[in-house]
Amino acid sequence: MTAGGNMRFFAALVKWLLVLVAVIVAGVAAWLYLFPPDLIRVGTGYAAKIVCSNAFVAGRDPDEVLSVDVQAPGHPVLRLVTVSVDRNERTVRAGLLGVFGRSVAVAREGLGCASVPDGDVAKAREIALPAVPEAADSAALWPDGEAVAPSQSPAIAAILDDPLMAGPGMRAVVVVHNGRIVGERYGEGFSAETPLLGWSMTKTVNAAIVGTLVREERMTLSDNDLFEAWSADERDDISVADLMAMASGLAFNEDYGDVTDVTRMLYLEPDMAGFAADKPLAAPVGSLFSYSSGTATMLSRVWQNALDSREEALGWPRSRLFLPLGMHSAVLETDESGTFVGSSYLYADARDWARFGQFLLQDGRWNGQALVPDGFVAWMREPSSAAPGDYGKGQVWMHGPAGGGADGPAADAGFAIPDDAYWLLGHDGQSMAIIPSRKLVVLRMGLTPSKLSYKPQALVAALAAAVE
């Protein structure tokens, strides 16, 4: 073959190789567009939901939320996700490179944002509440109003000003002693008016909502026969108390960071409670502790079903708990089907989160009124027989967050925390410690992934000593 022939051959070969590459790229792109893997859909669903709630509930900048809250601490695939916010339609759409695995979340009046995995935004938008009533301006001291008289204790000020105590990514710390806020600090860009996501601290609020229905005799802790699909097998023996103690025996994978039961439920399922209720038994009912966001979301469906209508159920948390406590900023979000995501999605400002902690400290009473049955909060923090030393009967933890190889009560080892302390804990560093013997509530909110190994026990122990 001549030199000219060689050149023509190689030119043709390169041309066909380029065509082949283009065909392969187009084929992969078409496959990703038409059949996106679940991992991509989970990532875009997460991005759409978190940006939506922070934009429309917390009033934060969507670009900052995408960068700081979603992409920086998350799975590497999230760095390729872009979002578009439609203020008029009150929707957020997200896609890998803006195109692949597109997901949407919609803001509804009074109910925050919901992921819409099936894309039917119009139907999802039909579920709404009247606007949250504006809180009356009040110069009264918290919790009756919003005025705060900080403690003049140098010890408390030094603790709150110590960045090691507050931890990386701190967004709010509020300390309540003897029923008053004695100190608070906020991270850059956050204030006392910023609604903050409690993640799994929501589970304890959901448990308290159950208590409000028990007080009004709309349900009991011994109720079973909770889902129609369970009537044909041993799942029918699961009671409300079993769900509260995370001892249903149902299979559920709570691991984050990939496509597991919890991420599939939160971002791929229009009916989250139905998805969780379809799981089989993995252990005898009541015998095994298994921490499960699916369990908490089923619990929401159970108490909603105990009421007479969807409208009554949607308004119940506000009318029976949030407004009586003065938690005007609180927004408990539902899934696309209208079930409250009682596992994960309560937004409230830090002072309102602290109000809920003070309500628990007061054994479920507020301004002399019992919002849950007498003794209900004490029951919530009794150790569960399925997880003695770890978890209470009513969706509270018996110790602070574990880490560094410490499990169970050992998580608090080395910290001088009173024995009667119990905790609300949430993903990425949300915590609230309640210590009845010190009349102390310590709330700490932030964006602090577990890989940073921060533990709020040092903060709580120091404050417990300072108010002793």
Side-chain angles (χ1 to χ4, degrees):
M1 184 179 293
T2 64
N6 285 335
M7 291 295 294
R8 286 192 296 274
F9 171 78
F10 283 115
L13 180 61
V14 170
K15 176 181 177 181
W16 284 109
L17 286 174
L18 291 173
V19 170
L20 179 61
V21 169
V23 169
I24 292 173
V25 169
V28 170
W31 171 70
L32 287 174
Y33 185 80
L34 295 173
F35 308 104
D38 285 344
L39 178 61
I40 292 177
R41 294 180 59 222
V42 165
T44 61
Y46 171 70
K49 170 66 180 63
I50 295 302
V51 172
C52 183
S53 294
N54 276 280
F56 291 104
V57 178
R60 296 177 58 207
D61 176 74
D63 292 331
E64 178 189 6
V65 174
L66 177 65
S67 174
V68 174
D69 293 49
V70 175
Q71 294 177 334
H75 193 285
V77 74
L78 293 171
R79 291 168 174 77
L80 301 177
V81 172
T82 61
V83 301
S84 60
V85 180
D86 189 322
R87 295 282 182 182
N88 293 325
E89 293 295 318
R90 293 171 61 81
T91 59
V92 174
R93 299 180 186 275
L96 186 72
L97 302 176
V99 175
F100 304 112
R102 286 178 62 80
S103 295
V104 60
V106 60
R108 288 93 56 86
E109 191 67 57
L111 293 173
C113 287
S115 297
V116 188
D118 64 10
D120 194 342
V121 172
K123 183 178 179 181
R125 191 178 278 119
E126 294 173 359
I127 302 171
L129 279 177
V132 179
E134 290 289 334
D137 291 335
S138 172
L141 283 174
W142 184 97
D144 301 312
E146 294 302 320
V148 171
S151 167
Q152 299 305 304
S153 165
I156 291 178
I159 293 165
L160 296 182
D161 289 334
D162 185 342
L164 294 178
M165 288 288 187
M170 182 274 287
R171 291 181 170 177
V173 173
V174 176
V175 183
V176 180
H177 185 233
N178 287 327
R180 300 294 187 194
I181 292 177
V182 296
E184 59 185 348
R185 297 291 187 275
Y186 295 93
E188 184 177 356
F190 296 86
S191 72
E193 288 77 41
T194 307
L196 299 167
L197 176 59
W199 284 112
S200 285
M201 295 205 310
T202 306
K203 292 177 171 68
T204 313
V205 178
N206 200 40
I209 293 170
V210 169
T212 66
L213 275 87
V214 172
R215 188 185 74 85
E216 297 195 22
E217 300 183 347
R218 309 294 287 270
M219 65 188 297
T220 73
L221 294 173
S222 61
D223 287 347
N224 56 6
D225 189 23
L226 302 178
F227 289 87
E228 183 177 352
W230 293 359
S231 61
D233 55 52
E234 294 177 350
R235 294 177 298 177
D236 201 41
D237 293 333
I238 299 170
S239 68
V240 172
D242 292 321
L243 295 178
M244 293 277 275
M246 295 289 184
S248 69
L250 293 173
F252 197 86
N253 186 333
E254 188 72 12
D255 292 337
Y256 287 83
D258 208 335
V259 183
T260 61
D261 290 336
V262 65
T263 54
R264 181 177 295 277
M265 181 188 79
L266 291 174
Y267 306 112
L268 300 182
E269 296 293 335
D271 178 4
M272 297 186 192
F275 169 77
D278 281 343
K279 294 296 179 181
L281 282 175
V285 176
S287 67
L288 180 69
F289 172 75
S290 179
Y291 186 79
S292 161
S293 291
T295 294
T297 304
M298 285 188 292
L299 192 62
S300 293
R301 174 68 61 79
V302 168
W303 69 251
Q304 288 181 252
N305 285 346
L307 297 170
D308 293 333
S309 67
R310 168 180 279 183
E311 290 69 28
E312 183 182 23
L314 291 177
W316 190 274
R318 181 190 292 180
S319 66
R320 296 307 197 277
L321 187 64
F322 300 151
L323 293 186
L325 295 182
M327 294 177 63
H328 288 267
S329 72
V331 176
L332 183 59
E333 298 177 317
T334 77
D335 67 5
E336 181 180 341
S337 75
T339 299
F340 285 108
V341 190
S343 63
S344 313
Y345 288 152
L346 176 65
Y347 280 81
D349 66 43
R351 291 178 181 175
D352 278 351
W353 274 110
R355 282 185 170 92
F356 180 74
Q358 183 64 24
F359 161 73
L360 294 180
L361 185 70
Q362 295 172 182
D363 293 322
R365 303 186 70 86
W366 199 258
N367 291 331
Q369 178 186 1
L371 303 185
V372 297
D374 287 337
F376 188 83
V377 174
W379 172 85
M380 286 172 64
R381 60 191 185 95
E382 288 179 9
S384 163
S385 60
D390 274 329
Y391 208 65
K393 292 180 178 178
Q395 310 233 321
V396 298
W397 288 95
M398 311 308 294
H399 55 74
D407 295 316
D412 292 343
F415 300 99
I417 297 175
D419 291 339
D420 62 337
Y422 60 101
W423 297 73
L424 285 65
L425 301 175
H427 180 61
D428 276 349
Q430 321 320 314
S431 71
M432 181 151 56
I434 300 165
I435 309 178
S437 62
R438 296 286 197 276
K439 298 183 179 179
L440 180 67
V441 175
V442 180
L443 173 75
R444 190 272 182 192
M445 308 289 279
L447 181 61
T448 310
S450 58
K451 65 184 179 182
L452 298 179
S453 299
Y454 169 74
K455 296 176 72 172
Q457 285 94 320
L459 172 69
V460 172
L463 288 165
V467 301
E468 188 175 4

